[in-house]
Amino acid sequence: MQVVKIIMKEIKKRSGCPVSSSLDLLGDKWSLLIVRDLMYYKKCTYGDFLKSDEKIATNILAARLSTLEDAGIIVKLDHPESKVKFLYQLSEKGIDLLPVLIEMYIWGEKYFMLSEHHIEFLKEIKKDKQAFIDKLTDKMKKAIVSK
């Protein structure tokens, strides 16, 4: 098994503020949706992301995948069944975004109408939020594939 080598390009930051720096990387309307799809919906190919309900444009998807890969949030792997396809997975850095997304779900529940699927998902989270985060984090970290 080979070790995954992550090469991160420096993201241009406006300041040393962690909120500002995080938004410089994740503040567009698509990046966290890609992370969400990798975390919760097990989407892992370019075509999978295109099928998301939000209907991301192909050029935007390609740009966001590249940015997330450059930042070390995701890793791009060769597809085992196709030489023209790639698989994407979260790196440990990407997996560490799980608590952020969970808090966004909880905040969103307070202010937006949710689908039944999301209501059930939040019920599961609220049973024991930290246990949910720990369990999903462990599951995702075990699933990391080395190049």
Side-chain angles (χ1 to χ4, degrees), residues 4 11 14 36-37 41 60 98 102 123 130 144 146:
V4 174
I11 303 296
R14 292 172 283 184
R36 175 210 61 190
D37 285 353
Y41 301 122
I60 301 295
L98 176 61
I102 294 295
K123 282 181 187 175
Q130 192 56 54
I144 292 176
S146 297

Side-chain angles (χ1 to χ4, degrees), residues 107-123:
W107 182 85
E109 177 189 34
K110 186 174 180 180
Y111 297 104
F112 303 111
M113 294 288 295
L114 304 180
S115 69
E116 189 60 37
H117 164 76
H118 290 102
I119 292 168
E120 291 302 315
F121 182 69
L122 277 159
K123 282 181 187 175

Side-chain angles (χ1 to χ4, degrees), residues 28-31 33-34 46 49-62 64-65:
D28 64 88
K29 72 184 218 178
W30 299 108
S31 294
L33 293 175
I34 292 168
Y46 190 88
F49 298 122
L50 287 176
K51 295 174 188 169
S52 293
D53 290 341
E54 291 82 13
K55 306 294 183 207
I56 188 170
T58 57
N59 61 324
I60 301 295
L61 175 57
R64 294 307 179 270
L65 288 170

